[in-house]
Amino acid sequence: MSHQTGILGSVELKKVFADCLNGDNTRTIKVVIEKETLECEKIVQKQNDTFDDDFDVSMAGLVEKDRPCYIFMKFLSAKEWVLISYSPDSAGVREKMLYAATRSSLKSEFGGTYVTMEYFATHMEEMTYAGYLDVVESKNAPPPLTLAEEELKEQDENETKELHGASTKVKTSKSVEFPLTDEARSAVESYKNGSVTHVELSVMIKEERITNSATNMIGATELCGVVSGDRAGYHLFNYSHRYENQDVVSHVFIYLMPGYSVPIKERMLYSTCKGSLLTSLQQDFGLKFDRKLECDTPSDLTEEFLRNEIHPPTAEARKKFSKPTAPGRKPPTRRAR
């Protein structure tokens, strides 16, 4: 979310921040939003000399599975901290949106220059030391291919290749087809009959299947709050709105790929599965998508963005206005011929 909520830290939280930045024995701080105020819910003192050894120890019993929170953990010194924004999928839509929109204010309260690393987590596994190491590895991964580079790579791999010493030509498949799980098929049917307006589908890499990650009954203003920016996914969204005094229902397919935070092999797999999934949704379920979109961050998925994609502004609407005449100056006159 691009805007902030105006929620600020309590006096007690500011004192905790000041103390820990001055070098006290604090290892971890848990911050929550209570009654529209940022509050320190718990402080965990250093148990071991190193950040690595203390990570799981200080996290034990600190995070509740279904409740969002912020976690600050001291890294190498009092001026170096890791910030984890935990927002589980099971939390309410409004609560997740509130925590996402308040994060910038929290960093300002703490002092953004002291946060040397931050990441978002949606599962308890990501709140462990092993999960932290996975995030570090993904952040240090090579930059992702652009969409154009991925398309060129895919075209190159899928072109007809001639075998050396033979006239036989081998053509490789241009997409990978993974079947949908029963849960995914049920979710798509629910979307088709209008029981839900949003479905997220994701690739089960080891099982080589596509499953349902989330279903929601939401409107366009809530979409960016429920879509996770930490993982790849395919999203089906029923965009119901008013246009030119008429009720309009538009079906949108969104392919979200966060980029370098997702391993290269996973990015390529999502890219090659997309075509066959769209074919299945259209042929097997009879869905017709008014727009197919790609993005790398949920914050792009605003109602204004969706509206402009479905109803592009006309050339007349995009025309620039004529520069107004400066005060005190007469507009130029045209001479009659």
Side-chain angles (χ1 to χ4, degrees), residues 170-232:
V170 179
K171 190 173 182 180
T172 59
S173 171
K174 290 190 176 183
S175 64
V176 176
E177 185 174 356
F178 285 175
L180 273 67
T181 63
D182 291 341
E183 292 82 1
R185 299 185 71 86
S186 177
V188 174
E189 288 290 352
S190 296
Y191 174 84
K192 181 180 178 180
N193 64 35
S195 299
V196 298
T197 57
H198 169 249
V199 169
E200 178 184 356
L201 302 174
S202 57
V203 176
M204 302 170 68
I205 298 176
K206 292 182 179 180
E207 296 80 0
E208 297 188 349
R209 296 169 73 83
I210 293 177
T211 189
N212 171 48
S213 296
T215 56
N216 297 287
M217 176 59 76
I218 57 172
T221 58
E222 301 166 294
L223 181 61
C224 63
V226 302
V227 173
S228 172
D230 299 322
R231 62 173 182 263

Side-chain angles (χ1 to χ4, degrees), residues 66 83 107 122 133 141 143 145 238 303-304 306 335:
D66 301 318
L83 169 60
K107 285 182 65 178
T122 56
L133 291 179
L145 299 176
N238 182 325
E303 183 171 18
E304 180 183 6
L306 293 174
R335 293 183 180 179

